[in-house]
Amino acid sequence: MRVARALAAAVLGAAVIACAPPQASNNQPQQGEPTGELKVWLFQEASNGPKEAAVDEATKEFEAAHPGVTVNVEYLPVDGRATRFNGAFNDKNSAPDVAEFGNTDLAGYVASNGFADLTSDLAAWPDAKDLVPAVADTAKIDGKSYGIPWFTGTRALYYRTDILAELGLSPPKTLAEIAEAARRIHAAKPDLYGIAVGGRYLFALLPYIWANGGDIAERDGAQWTAAINSPQARDGLRQYAELIRDDICPPAKCAQLTGSQSVTAFAGGSAGMTIGGDFNRKAMEAGAVKGKYAVVPLPGKEPGSIAPAFAGGNLLGVLRSSARYALSLEFIKLLGGKRYQRTMFKAMGNMPTFSDVQNEIAGSDPFLWPFIQTVQAGTRFVPATPAWTKIDAQAVIPTAVQQVAIGGTTVEAATDAAAAEMNKAFGS
């Protein structure tokens, strides 16, 4: 799935999976049958042709190298995948051997005992040493790896080159400078948002919390506890909510903006800046800002620092029920390896997950460098627990931002209320 919709879609999938009956424990799959049909589930894209062409190339190569093996690829609609995965985890006869899934789905799927632990096999895979560590962590629960990160995506700061030049502004070098530049832009051009961000744009908020030294939750053993009301997290939320003000992005319009709506506003020429992903490039090129925008990493609190970004993306894993574990593992190492990550990048623009491949593609496409810098500087992730799906579905943290932005609640009261809701979901 595209990273922009990864979490929203994952909520639907993981929420359903988390409610599935507990799965009977089984042993780690054996090597399995060396021939036969290998069933693969991948996600269907809005325009699926380029993905199919790349995958077809990989399957033909795999079949040629494994006589007696047929790879059967099925493309699942993202919105309907929850039912399919739920059925697969409960009935091995309906399960694939290999599947693509969102990294925010991982905790729910592992809780359902759906995917095989690949830790030892991936440790012996030469390519694995070049996976960006923070991205590799998005495939882990309790230190165990359940998939190969197939692509990743992060967000950075888009800005209007023409407007900043006209106003004599340089690209912001700190989070505080973003607010200052945004005020200047809105004051000079009241018809534009200084920066398009929204109260419902969680992935724009999170870097502010992390850059201020805070987090949304903390783990002690198996127990998660809300940290959104810590002093550092409050500082980050307060700094982000400062952008949703009448002198930057008026709350009457911006308190309800999602990430997609924020990006659309910038692409349409209605904002001087926004926080967007590498996956939003096509929207920019198709919009009013074509030829008039640039990107820098979202800065941190201090000049020269980069705010930690959320690492979205999808994984390739092996179902625990697979009767062809060894074949499945070899297939995901081929499709998820460096060569086919290059192929997928050329076909779809998917950001590779290997640092050497990232550096290679950045050399041929400078647009990507701010996003690669962001990934390599260190990304963060949402709490790796099925409880997160409930918290996110209830918009607990965005509600706190909106309450502060419209001026009805203090940061302290809003974050205390959010923490109480989160702890209820965590069972703490």
Side-chain angles (χ1 to χ4, degrees):
M1 77 193 79
R2 312 305 330 144
V3 177
R5 54 188 168 87
L7 186 57
V11 166
L12 174 64
V16 174
I17 297 301
C19 295
Q23 307 300 302
S25 178
N26 52 45
N27 296 325
Q28 180 69 19
Q30 301 302 308
Q31 295 303 297
E33 301 174 20
T35 59
E37 181 187 48
L38 195 70
K39 294 172 62 177
V40 178
W41 284 1
L42 302 178
F43 292 139
Q44 186 171 9
E45 307 295 330
S47 178
N48 212 48
K51 183 173 188 175
E52 290 185 35
V55 173
D56 285 350
E57 182 182 336
T59 58
K60 289 176 183 177
E61 177 179 338
F62 190 79
E63 289 174 346
H66 298 81
V69 174
T70 300
V71 180
N72 181 5
V73 181
E74 181 180 355
Y75 291 90
L76 305 185
V78 173
D79 293 341
R81 80 189 192 285
T83 300
R84 297 294 302 276
F85 273 100
N86 190 28
F89 294 161
N90 284 280
D91 176 14
K92 67 178 182 180
N93 293 322
S94 69
D97 298 286
V98 167
E100 173 186 4
F101 59 103
N103 57 19
T104 49
D105 290 347
L106 179 62
Y109 288 0
V110 170
S112 293
N113 202 31
F115 280 87
D117 175 3
L118 309 179
T119 308
S120 59
D121 288 308
L122 293 185
W125 183 37
D127 281 12
K129 71 181 187 327
D130 294 320
L131 285 167
V132 176
V135 176
D137 286 345
T138 67
K140 296 179 181 178
I141 298 291
D142 295 330
K144 297 179 180 179
S145 295
Y146 291 90
I148 295 173
W150 198 16
F151 67 85
T152 189
T154 55
R155 290 163 178 82
L157 184 68
Y158 283 79
Y159 65 92
R160 285 281 295 272
T161 52
D162 55 337
I163 292 175
L164 264 63
E166 179 184 338
L167 299 180
L169 298 172
S170 298
K173 294 181 175 59
T174 64
L175 291 176
E177 287 184 13
I178 291 176
E180 295 168 8
R183 286 194 185 91
R184 290 275 303 276
I185 292 169
H186 189 65
K189 299 180 180 294
D191 57 327
L192 299 183
Y193 301 138
I195 181 170
V197 291
R200 296 167 60 196
Y201 193 178
L202 179 67
F203 297 138
L205 164 67
L206 291 178
Y208 276 77
I209 290 175
W210 291 329
N212 276 275
D215 209 339
I216 52 179
E218 296 176 344
R219 185 177 182 179
D220 183 6
Q223 184 61 56
W224 286 88
T225 305
I228 191 66
N229 58 344
S230 70
Q232 297 87 349
R234 284 172 169 168
D235 286 345
L237 191 146
R238 183 181 293 107
Q239 190 172 36
Y240 179 78
E242 180 185 353
L243 303 177
I244 309 175
R245 292 284 187 267
D246 285 332
D247 60 350
I248 294 179
C249 197
K253 295 181 179 179
C254 298
Q256 294 296 326
L257 287 184
T258 63
S260 295
Q261 291 167 335
S262 300
V263 168
T264 297
F266 178 83
S270 298
M273 297 182 287
T274 197
I275 297 170
D278 54 285
F279 41 84
N280 294 131
R281 184 180 191 176
K282 289 184 178 179
M284 306 306 183
E285 289 298 296
V289 299
K290 181 177 181 179
K292 297 183 291 187
Y293 72 91
V295 188
V296 293
L298 185 70
K301 287 192 68 176
E302 303 299 328
S305 65
I306 297 176
F310 169 76
N314 284 6
L315 313 173
L316 292 172
V318 178
L319 275 287
R320 287 183 65 94
S321 58
S322 174
R324 296 174 174 81
Y325 176 79
L327 281 175
S328 299
L329 180 67
E330 288 305 308
F331 183 76
I332 65 171
K333 288 196 294 185
L334 175 68
L335 187 58
K338 294 181 181 181
R339 186 154 58 87
Y340 278 99
Q341 284 204 18
R342 292 185 184 97
T343 301
M344 291 293 289
F345 170 72
K346 292 176 183 176
M348 302 175 61
N350 289 353
M351 178 74 73
T353 60
F354 299 98
S355 57
D356 55 340
V357 181
Q358 289 180 350
N359 293 337
E360 175 187 310
I361 64 172
S364 60
D365 190 350
F367 166 83
L368 295 170
W369 186 235
F371 301 101
I372 291 172
Q373 284 179 292
T374 299
V375 171
Q376 296 185 2
T379 55
R380 300 283 289 276
F381 203 56
V382 295
T385 165
W388 173 252
T389 62
K390 181 178 180 180
I391 294 167
D392 188 73
Q394 293 176 339
V396 172
I397 297 175
T399 296
V401 176
Q402 292 171 317
Q403 290 172 336
V404 173
I406 63 177
T409 310
T410 65
V411 171
E412 289 73 19
T415 53
D416 279 343
E421 288 298 314
M422 292 176 69
N423 286 332
K424 189 184 302 182
F426 290 140
S428 57

